[in-house]
Amino acid sequence: MEREEFLRYLRQGKYDKLSKLINSNPDILKFLDELFISNKKDDIRRALLVLKRLDKKIIGRYLFYVLLALNERRIIAKEAEDVLKKLSNKEKVDDAIIEISKRDLDEKVVYLFLKNMKYENVFFKAILEYTKTKNIYDGIKVLLKKYNSDILKILANKLYSKEKDERELVVDILLNIVDSLDENQKDILKSFLNLTLLGDEDKRLYKKFKQLFGKLNIKVELSDEELKYLLKSHGKNILNVILREEVKIPSDFYDKEFLKEFLYKGNEEKQFVGVKLISLKKDSKTKVDLLFKFLNYGYGKAKTSAIRELKKIAKNNKDLREYIENKAFIYARKMNLGLKISSLRILKEFAKKEYLEFLINEHKRLKNLIYKLEEEKFMGGFRHMLMMEEEIRKCNVAMGIIEEIIAEICLKYNIHYNDLKIAEKIGYEFYKTIELIGAKNLNLIDIYELLDDIERNGELIVHLTEIVINNKISDDLAEKILEITEKADMEDKDLLNANKIMIYASLNRVDKIGEIINLAVGYYSKLAFINAIKKFIDEKLLDKEKINLLIPKIAEMIFATKKLRLMALEFFKEHPNELVIPILINEIGSYKGEEKLMVDVISNVIFKYPNSIHSIGNLLNTDKRKLCLKIFYKVSQKMPELLEDYIYLLAGIYNSADNEDKKLIKKILKNIVNEEQKAILKPIVGEL
């Protein structure tokens, strides 16, 4: 049969005809070999469809390619699974792989098992089955004796996996077997180990890699050129090595090439590494100058890190403090808004009253710039508008920092806000500054003047809340604040309601509870509502009857946004109530990453209302079993008597459970059974 004829039948989907031709003329298999080697996805799928129709002896010859196809897209992997099921007479693919692993296998298949091995996955179990061992450490030792040192190469390559669990499994294996390796095997393993492993983000894994390096006598030594090369290629990873292993950086390292690589290329991650490398340098004017370059050209966390480092130097080094201050002051005057913002953040560390005139005038200058940008915003296209909006945002950030610095100065030098005469100088007030000062020292602002302004402009109520929260308010002032708060109005009703709720709660106005409930209709007002209720409960201002009236309002927030849901759950964790059990049962397992909190909440409800355990027990035979078992485990630790009715039900589901559930079931049973019950359950669940 000619190759063209074979391919024609294949493209036409005549797989039965091809299988019959192969059975009568095995030489045709050479064309099937070509298909698997070709790496063309559709050809591999068609080859599997032919293979599925052949006898097991021929299928066994292609086992490596069939297993390889399991990692392809689903349409191909499905055909590979069918072939494996036929070869093993098993209905599940995992069972098929385990069954196949009982046979004598080609080394390529064994290597494939090893490459795909993860903790407790089917290939992990297949290796144990193939090597007839009970633990993976002994299994790898058997493979090393049977095959060549490619086993070590495969394991070493898995140390560089992106998956933490995979790296941890392999380093554990190597730590366990390294002492049993001969010198040649150790040398082979060493050749595949790179110092970058010591830069692993996980500190626990770092310690294990360090231990492995120690067992192999691998020293942490890097030439200047190697250090530069690895920093360019592995950045953060090698930075971790430098920090952990105290690797010395050459004095000529911070040159133009360094700035080109770690600053001017504009990569935020590399810039961050650059700042961290500079922070290792001894404090000096050169170091400060380098950090200021990152304020000018850096992005995101690199810029933030540079600011933090400059603040740290200014705080701890008196000799450089004035140099940093002067440099920041010069940059704060520039109209590069990114640089201005960073410089102002540094100036906040100094907060000198000599800055006041500059800061007030700079605020006015920025406000005028916003007016200009607003006019220009619609003079270009869409991209131009976005650029203008970004510049306006930066102006607002800079103005906010200025107001914060002025507040710091007033508090530091005991200056009354009115003495600044800001409105007289530039025509408007700094209400954020008033808020920040008033929150820490009410005597440095005119609170009644602020209340008059709020009465005229309800939008300003947002600046009153923090002042009320952080001060002990006299009765007369409280009455005035309540009067103004009740009348206040603003465009954003949710924000208005949130501020009203916070003010009522801060003044302990529990008599306003009805109004507080009605005000909590939006996102921010609901956040304020939960915090207000917590405060009232903590200060014992609400009786049980009133609390029960509030529960439905808080419970409905479990269905809201993530932040509100988490706050509602935290509330019920601290204040358990059986009324929420039906909601929690319905929602349990619906939100990834919130299972632990949900388990804690339900467990606390059970501890307070033991009869509610029956509602949870009904979940054992549902898809929420895993979370039910986690709740049962917490209950078994504190109130084991509540689970006595579930002993044999738990034992009954043991055999059908997965490994994780089996471990939990055994832990639960261990906490709740007596010696006689242990003996009865031993044939089912083993030793407890």
Side-chain angles (χ1 to χ4, degrees), residues 369-382:
L369 178 59
I370 289 177
Y371 294 143
K372 184 182 175 185
L373 292 169
E374 287 284 2
E375 288 175 9
E376 293 178 1
K377 192 161 71 170
F378 301 105
M379 291 182 181
F382 181 68

Side-chain angles (χ1 to χ4, degrees), residues 423-597:
E424 291 177 26
K425 292 175 181 176
I426 59 174
Y428 58 90
E429 300 286 8
F430 292 175
Y431 287 104
K432 183 68 180 176
T433 300
I434 295 171
E435 175 191 338
L436 293 169
I437 296 170
K440 291 185 178 178
N441 189 340
L442 197 56
N443 295 322
L444 294 180
I445 66 165
D446 188 333
I447 185 67
Y448 287 99
E449 196 174 291
L450 174 62
L451 291 172
D452 289 341
D453 288 349
I454 295 169
E455 192 170 16
R456 286 190 292 272
N457 179 7
E459 301 282 340
L460 298 175
I461 194 171
V462 296
H463 299 294
L464 174 64
T465 308
E466 284 298 314
I467 296 172
V468 177
I469 288 172
N470 291 289
N471 283 285
K472 191 174 180 181
I473 306 295
S474 67
D475 292 342
D476 290 344
L477 179 55
E479 284 303 316
K480 179 68 174 173
I481 289 170
L482 277 172
E483 181 190 332
I484 297 298
T485 302
E486 287 168 353
K487 292 177 183 175
D489 194 14
M490 61 188 285
E491 191 175 337
D492 188 335
K493 300 301 179 189
D494 185 36
L495 197 57
L496 172 67
N497 292 347
N499 281 279
K500 283 186 175 184
I501 290 169
M502 287 187 279
I503 290 169
Y504 292 154
S506 299
L507 296 174
N508 289 333
R509 294 305 298 257
V510 74
D511 58 305
K512 293 275 188 181
I513 195 70
E515 188 179 343
I516 288 172
I517 293 171
N518 293 331
L519 286 171
V521 290
Y523 175 74
Y524 293 108
S525 53
K526 284 179 178 177
L527 286 178
F529 172 77
I530 293 180
N531 286 322
I533 301 310
K534 277 185 181 178
K535 184 178 186 298
F536 287 152
I537 291 174
D538 291 343
E539 296 184 12
K540 297 181 172 53
L541 297 173
L542 292 174
D543 57 30
K544 190 176 179 181
E545 188 180 339
K546 282 182 179 173
I547 292 171
N548 284 337
L549 289 172
L550 297 166
I551 294 303
K553 184 77 176 180
I554 300 173
E556 75 179 29
M557 295 178 197
I558 294 172
F559 301 106
T561 60
K562 184 173 183 178
K563 175 76 173 173
L564 281 172
R565 183 169 60 254
L566 290 174
M567 285 195 70
L569 289 172
E570 286 290 350
F571 176 85
F572 288 119
K573 183 180 174 181
E574 294 172 27
H575 308 286
N577 193 293
E578 63 182 335
L579 296 175
V580 298
I581 278 286
I583 296 171
L584 296 175
I585 288 173
N586 186 57
E587 293 299 297
I588 195 167
S590 301
Y591 307 104
K592 219 173 182 182
E594 297 174 22
E595 290 91 348
K596 186 180 181 301
L597 179 56

Side-chain angles (χ1 to χ4, degrees), residues 595-648:
E595 290 91 348
K596 186 180 181 301
L597 179 56
M598 194 78 84
V599 167
D600 289 342
V601 173
I602 295 174
S603 301
N604 287 355
V605 173
I606 292 169
F607 296 146
K608 189 171 179 181
Y609 306 97
N611 286 336
S612 57
I613 189 72
H614 302 300
S615 303
I616 306 303
N618 295 333
L619 301 177
L620 276 175
N621 289 313
T622 70
D623 59 350
K624 297 179 180 180
R625 175 193 288 177
K626 201 174 289 291
L627 287 163
C628 175
L629 289 172
K630 288 178 180 178
I631 294 164
F632 270 26
Y633 179 58
K634 283 186 80 77
V635 174
S636 74
Q637 292 174 301
K638 193 170 179 179
M639 298 175 74
E641 67 278 4
L642 295 181
L643 298 175
E644 288 175 358
D645 293 343
Y646 294 92
I647 291 171
Y648 295 105

Side-chain angles (χ1 to χ4, degrees), residues 348 351 403-413 440:
K348 191 177 174 185
E403 290 174 39
E404 289 171 13
I405 297 172
I406 292 172
E408 287 280 330
I409 294 168
C410 289
L411 290 165
K412 187 176 177 181
Y413 296 99
K440 291 185 178 178

